[in-house]
Amino acid sequence: MTSLDSTTRTADLTDDVRDAVLDVARRSKVAARSLATATRATKDAALQALADALVAASDEIVAANAKDLERGRANGTSEGLLDRLALTPERIGAIADALRELAALPDPVGEVVRGSTLPNGLRLRQVRVPMGVVGMIYEARPNVTVDAAGLALKSGNAVILRGGSAAASSNEVIVEVLGRALEAQGLPRDLVQSIDAYGRPGGVALMHARGLVDVLVPRGGASLIQTVVQESTVPVIETGVGNCHVYVDESADVETALNIVMNSKTHRVGVCNAAENLLVHAGAAPDFLPAALDALDAAGVVLHGDTATQGYAPEGVEVIPATDEDWGTEYLALEIAVRVVDDLDGAIDHIRTWSSGHTEAIVTRDLTSSERFVAEIDTAAIMVNASTRFTDGQQFGLGAEIGISTQKLHARGPMGLGELTTTKWIVTGDGHVRP
Amino acid sequence: MTSLDSTTRTADLTDDVRDAVLDVARRSKVAARSLATATRATKDAALQALADALVAASDEIVAANAKDLERGRANGTSEGLLDRLALTPERIGAIADALRELAALPDPVGEVVRGSTLPNGLRLRQVRVPMGVVGMIYEARPNVTVDAAGLALKSGNAVILRGGSAAASSNEVIVEVLGRALEAQGLPRDLVQSIDAYGRPGGVALMHARGLVDVLVPRGGASLIQTVVQESTVPVIETGVGNCHVYVDESADVETALNIVMNSKTHRVGVCNAAENLLVHAGAAPDFLPAALDALDAAGVVLHGDTATQGYAPEGVEVIPATDEDWGTEYLALEIAVRVVDDLDGAIDHIRTWSSGHTEAIVTRDLTSSERFVAEIDTAAIMVNASTRFTDGQQFGLGAEIGISTQKLHARGPMGLGELTTTKWIVTGDGHVRP
């Protein structure tokens, strides 16, 4: 409901909506220029001011959020989604704290990535600079509105937000509060703009604002992300779909494997770095699988398995026969697909066929297995004897994250502030010409 | 004629062509796996073998090239294009030498980009790995066929080539020669495949092979690049269009400015890093412009200028009134558009309006002007007191280049071997789980 589906095509765009969104993008581009040369002190002060403003406006925001919740309830939205949507003064405080944490992070802008003096005396520097205008298309979580604005501000970018209609009232007030706070800091309001007023066609217009919008980051479910990837002519960073596997090797320590499997699957469901599949070496299965199936079942995890796995199910534990659909599904729920593989090659083949390139884990005590798994699996992150849940910007020490990229271009894995920048080559001579 | 124009749409694709190209891409993906874990020694030996094979097959290649040239002449192709298309034993020798130079460059694969041990003891490494499958869509220069194959091989990638139909016979033989040489080295032929046999629809199918092709690099004219950017769902790196400016500041040394302008414009025309526009500070114009217009005219450069510029034209030097079209045109010829600006702000405004984000140069002796130009102009490369012609992978010391990116995502400016790689996070623990 909140996602742009594939029935929203370019043809639906009216000229009015297109013009309005292009105008937003143009103002965004102009605003971005003033921020590109701002000092870190200016940006950090603004982040603190935004945090203060959100806290001060808590009542206003909670009141707007109540309208979204009411509408959601009337539409029959699930309790889980309503919970994600809900804002309280405490939650607003936490969102504001995240902005303050951003202020404490180093500024990526200005970092000299490479530099040298060439044989002819030219001085060469490759310096990190802001992207310019970042577009965010996301679903019903109003905290993303603030996170995205904060990350963009810290990295020197303007941001254009297209949030889910389910959070429209909350987002409208939040963007207004942020805009007033920016203005009070002497920064342009246009640094943070929303195009929610233009609905889905506005989102489509944003995807086509090539030349004005430098990068689009979709955050949400698989269908939202696929629509943006297919439709957009603006460069996109694909995020988030995680059909993650844990492979338990023949040599794995049973208790270690059990801990990692349980943590990867049940620590938090509904997140992209949760495990959705368990692969077990045939040699490890007799010792490991009965205990694992029992523990998963006891934790309320619905089990799907191949024939071999079914054979290891303890009395009273149901294992539903797994289909190809199971291997390909990101459950985002207490549900897992389990398969017994002949050997490491079998695990690698299975993962190559079904992986979404997010996180793949191996539990092993064998060096060769570990090295081969690391070398032969092509994914954003590989875990050796660790839970898939560690693929996360905060866990990696990158600070706040704008998403987890599952593509190979520009950014792969957790994206922090640095991934919202590009570079510029600066070449200084003394009248140098090519001979 | 050799470019994919916008009339070639998805709808033209027959299922047969699509299936054939997807099959090529699948085989490419499988072949890429064998190369991803190959040592540098293996790859360098293969590059030497490819170079030897090309030289050994010179007669065969020249004969095939003669057919392309004959067809080109019959079609009325210009002498300039025929020259770009032509292969001689000497040119084949130079192309082979470029492969040998690639063998001498460091291997980007395996480089540890970042790494640390986290507070919880997890060992984190971000390691450079090949992209996987690189697609190249290009026009009538058969040397690109070899360059692209060599760059892909060295960076551990498989490559799918879609060359211009004008070079079809040459490319067919070259790909065959490279394939035989790869096989003789124990590497899969499928590492270098051509889809020229499927014509334009094959190129379109390639643009839609998302999930199989990891990145597409179009090389050629603006219309080819725009078609690929608009049509492709595979991530694209936009290359090459260079509407480059030289700005002569009030404080510029006249002789330095003259040298840089002449070198930027006339050192080599028809390349993306040649200057297409000259902006002159009003205060510098009286001393600089008459001499500059005279020198450009004497070098055979067609001059377009605004009214002020026309006023500085020496006797006998014709300055055609410049239009907005001139400011926006990449001439790729002995032709330039000249404008007098009030001050640095005027120059920055003009460049912001018309730049293609490739290379912008300032000639100045004033530190503030230089710093402001560097900070406020958003482009892949900025030259301070140096010719625009220096924006080049070889000149920057990056070795061979696959193109010059004018986009901000992933790569900006000259792209060397490193830009054909992505990264993988490798996280090693001892049974770590999220608390």
Side-chain angles (χ1 to χ4, degrees):
Chain A
M1 297 202 312
T2 56
S3 72
L4 289 144
D5 63 43
S6 54
T7 59
T8 310
R9 310 305 298 183
T10 319
D12 300 340
L13 274 181
T14 66
D15 286 348
D16 284 356
V17 166
R18 192 185 348 245
D19 290 350
V21 171
L22 291 180
D23 186 54
V24 165
R26 268 183 220 105
R27 285 188 281 124
S28 193
K29 190 168 177 170
V30 171
R33 283 177 188 153
S34 66
L35 199 61
T37 54
T39 61
R40 174 174 172 183
T42 301
K43 294 186 285 188
D44 289 350
L47 286 168
Q48 299 285 1
L50 296 188
D52 293 345
L54 285 172
V55 171
S58 284
D59 291 350
E60 201 183 337
I61 295 168
V62 169
N65 185 249
K67 287 190 219 161
D68 287 330
L69 291 170
E70 198 177 326
R71 214 171 48 247
R73 271 189 212 99
N75 293 339
T77 305
S78 74
E79 279 305 314
L81 278 179
L82 288 174
D83 181 59
R84 284 183 174 207
L85 179 56
L87 292 174
T88 61
E90 290 68 36
R91 287 188 177 184
I92 293 169
I95 290 170
D97 285 344
L99 289 177
R100 296 197 176 95
E101 283 164 26
L102 272 175
L105 289 175
D107 190 341
V109 174
E111 185 198 343
V112 179
V113 179
R114 286 187 272 190
S116 63
T117 299
L118 299 179
N120 61 8
L122 277 178
R123 280 84 72 195
L124 198 65
R125 277 177 296 158
Q126 187 181 25
V127 177
R128 213 168 267 295
V129 296
M131 281 275 179
V133 177
V134 176
M136 286 285 298
I137 300 188
Y138 54 105
E139 294 179 329
R141 297 176 62 167
N143 63 310
V144 176
T145 307
V146 181
D147 285 352
L151 284 158
L153 180 59
K154 178 80 187 198
S155 55
N157 295 292
V159 68
I160 302 175
L161 302 160
R162 158 70 183 139
S165 56
S169 303
S170 313
N171 287 338
E172 190 184 343
V173 171
I174 290 171
V175 169
E176 172 63 27
V177 168
L178 297 178
R180 286 196 306 247
L182 285 168
E183 214 159 44
Q185 290 288 308
L187 288 170
R189 250 176 196 265
D190 288 343
L191 285 174
V192 179
Q193 293 183 81
S194 162
I195 55 163
D196 285 358
Y198 308 108
R200 289 185 195 179
V204 176
L206 187 66
M207 297 180 213
H208 288 268
R210 192 173 173 102
L212 293 171
V213 177
D214 294 293
V215 60
L216 255 185
V217 184
R219 272 185 71 170
S223 87
L224 167 73
I225 291 166
Q226 280 314 305
T227 301
V228 175
V229 161
Q230 296 290 328
E231 178 74 20
S232 187
T233 58
V234 169
V236 171
I237 298 182
E238 195 175 343
T239 63
V241 176
N243 190 27
C244 307
H245 300 73
V246 177
Y247 165 61
V248 176
D249 194 31
E250 185 169 24
S251 67
D253 176 71
V254 170
E255 202 182 316
T256 304
L258 216 49
N259 285 339
I260 289 175
V261 169
M262 294 307 291
N263 191 260
S264 298
K265 179 67 252 181
T266 68
H267 180 260
R268 195 166 155 207
V269 295
V271 289
C272 59
N273 60 12
E276 309 291 6
N277 300 274
L278 168 60
L279 303 174
V280 182
H281 189 291
D287 276 352
F288 171 74
L289 254 187
L293 295 172
D294 200 36
L296 286 163
D297 182 67
V301 179
V302 176
L303 300 164
H304 303 260
D306 67 344
T307 315
T309 300
Q310 291 166 55
Y312 288 109
E315 193 67 30
V317 171
E318 191 196 4
V319 177
I320 306 162
T323 63
D324 272 3
E325 210 193 316
D326 288 306
W327 308 132
T329 297
E330 188 190 17
Y331 295 116
L332 297 170
L334 281 174
E335 203 162 351
I336 197 165
V338 188
R339 183 174 201 170
V340 176
V341 293
D342 288 342
D343 49 22
L344 177 63
D345 287 303
I348 291 174
D349 279 352
H350 181 98
I351 292 171
R352 281 179 171 172
T353 307
W354 299 106
S355 167
S356 64
H358 188 296
T359 301
E360 307 302 344
I362 182 173
V363 188
T364 187
R365 285 186 293 194
D366 184 80
L367 183 58
T368 304
S369 295
S370 153
E371 299 269 304
R372 279 197 56 206
F373 194 84
V374 164
E376 296 180 30
I377 296 292
D378 188 28
T379 182
I382 288 178
M383 299 289 156
V384 178
N385 295 326
S387 168
T388 57
R389 289 276 297 130
F390 283 109
T391 303
D392 175 277
Q394 292 282 3
Q395 293 293 322
F396 278 14
L398 308 177
E401 102 187 356
I402 193 131
I404 296 180
S405 165
T406 52
Q407 72 177 37
K408 296 184 185 178
L409 219 62
H410 186 70
R412 199 179 195 199
M415 291 189 288
L417 290 165
E419 280 69 31
L420 288 178
T421 65
T422 180
T423 57
K424 185 195 270 187
W425 287 98
I426 301 165
V427 185
T428 311
D430 314 293
H432 284 66
V433 295
R434 286 271 296 265
Chain B
M1 299 200 308
T2 55
S3 71
L4 289 144
D5 64 40
S6 54
T7 59
T8 310
R9 310 303 297 184
T10 318
D12 300 342
L13 274 181
T14 65
D15 286 347
D16 283 355
V17 166
R18 194 189 342 250
D19 290 349
V21 170
L22 291 180
D23 186 53
V24 165
R26 268 184 220 104
R27 284 187 283 125
S28 193
K29 190 166 177 173
V30 171
R33 284 177 188 154
S34 66
L35 200 60
T37 53
T39 62
R40 175 175 171 185
T42 301
K43 294 187 284 188
D44 289 351
L47 287 167
Q48 299 285 2
L50 296 188
D52 294 344
L54 285 172
V55 171
S58 284
D59 291 350
E60 200 184 338
I61 296 168
V62 169
N65 185 248
K67 287 188 219 162
D68 287 331
L69 290 169
E70 196 178 325
R71 215 172 46 246
R73 273 191 209 96
N75 292 341
T77 305
S78 74
E79 279 305 314
L81 277 180
L82 287 175
D83 182 57
R84 284 184 174 206
L85 179 55
L87 291 175
T88 60
E90 290 68 37
R91 286 189 177 183
I92 293 169
I95 291 171
D97 285 345
L99 289 178
R100 295 196 177 96
E101 283 165 24
L102 272 175
L105 288 174
D107 189 340
V109 174
E111 186 198 343
V112 179
V113 178
R114 287 187 270 190
S116 63
T117 299
L118 300 178
N120 60 8
L122 276 179
R123 282 84 72 194
L124 199 64
R125 278 177 296 159
Q126 188 181 25
V127 177
R128 215 169 266 296
V129 295
M131 281 277 180
V133 177
V134 175
M136 286 285 298
I137 299 188
Y138 55 106
E139 294 177 331
R141 298 176 61 169
N143 63 309
V144 176
T145 307
V146 180
D147 284 354
L151 284 157
L153 180 59
K154 179 80 187 200
S155 54
N157 294 291
V159 69
I160 301 175
L161 302 160
R162 159 69 183 141
S165 56
S169 303
S170 313
N171 287 339
E172 191 184 343
V173 170
I174 290 171
V175 169
E176 171 63 24
V177 168
L178 297 178
R180 283 195 308 245
L182 285 167
E183 215 160 43
Q185 290 289 307
L187 289 170
R189 252 175 195 265
D190 288 344
L191 285 174
V192 179
Q193 293 184 82
S194 163
I195 55 163
D196 285 359
Y198 309 108
R200 290 185 195 181
V204 176
L206 187 66
M207 297 180 214
H208 288 268
R210 193 173 172 102
L212 292 172
V213 178
D214 294 294
V215 61
L216 254 185
V217 183
R219 271 184 72 172
S223 86
L224 167 72
I225 291 166
Q226 280 314 304
T227 301
V228 175
V229 162
Q230 296 289 330
E231 178 73 22
S232 187
T233 57
V234 169
V236 172
I237 298 182
E238 196 175 342
T239 63
V241 176
N243 189 28
C244 307
H245 300 74
V246 177
Y247 165 61
V248 176
D249 194 31
E250 185 168 25
S251 67
D253 175 70
V254 170
E255 203 182 314
T256 303
L258 217 47
N259 284 340
I260 287 174
V261 168
M262 294 306 291
N263 190 261
S264 298
K265 180 67 251 180
T266 68
H267 180 260
R268 194 165 157 208
V269 296
V271 289
C272 58
N273 60 12
E276 309 291 5
N277 300 274
L278 169 60
L279 303 174
V280 182
H281 190 291
D287 277 352
F288 171 73
L289 253 187
L293 295 172
D294 201 33
L296 286 163
D297 181 66
V301 178
V302 176
L303 300 163
H304 304 260
D306 68 343
T307 316
T309 299
Q310 291 166 55
Y312 288 109
E315 192 69 28
V317 171
E318 191 196 4
V319 177
I320 306 162
T323 63
D324 273 1
E325 209 193 318
D326 288 306
W327 308 131
T329 297
E330 188 190 19
Y331 295 118
L332 296 171
L334 281 174
E335 204 163 349
I336 196 166
V338 188
R339 183 175 202 168
V340 176
V341 293
D342 289 342
D343 49 22
L344 178 63
D345 286 305
I348 291 173
D349 279 352
H350 181 98
I351 291 171
R352 281 178 171 173
T353 306
W354 299 107
S355 166
S356 64
H358 188 294
T359 302
E360 307 301 345
I362 182 172
V363 188
T364 187
R365 285 186 293 197
D366 185 81
L367 183 58
T368 305
S369 295
S370 154
E371 300 269 304
R372 277 196 58 208
F373 194 85
V374 164
E376 297 180 31
I377 296 292
D378 188 27
T379 182
I382 287 178
M383 299 288 155
V384 179
N385 295 325
S387 167
T388 56
R389 290 276 295 129
F390 283 109
T391 303
D392 175 276
Q394 290 283 3
Q395 294 292 321
F396 278 14
L398 308 178
E401 102 188 358
I402 193 132
I404 295 180
S405 165
T406 53
Q407 71 177 38
K408 296 183 183 176
L409 219 62
H410 185 69
R412 199 179 194 199
M415 290 189 288
L417 289 166
E419 280 69 30
L420 289 178
T421 64
T422 181
T423 57
K424 185 195 269 187
W425 288 98
I426 301 166
V427 185
T428 311
D430 313 293
H432 284 67
V433 295
R434 288 269 297 263

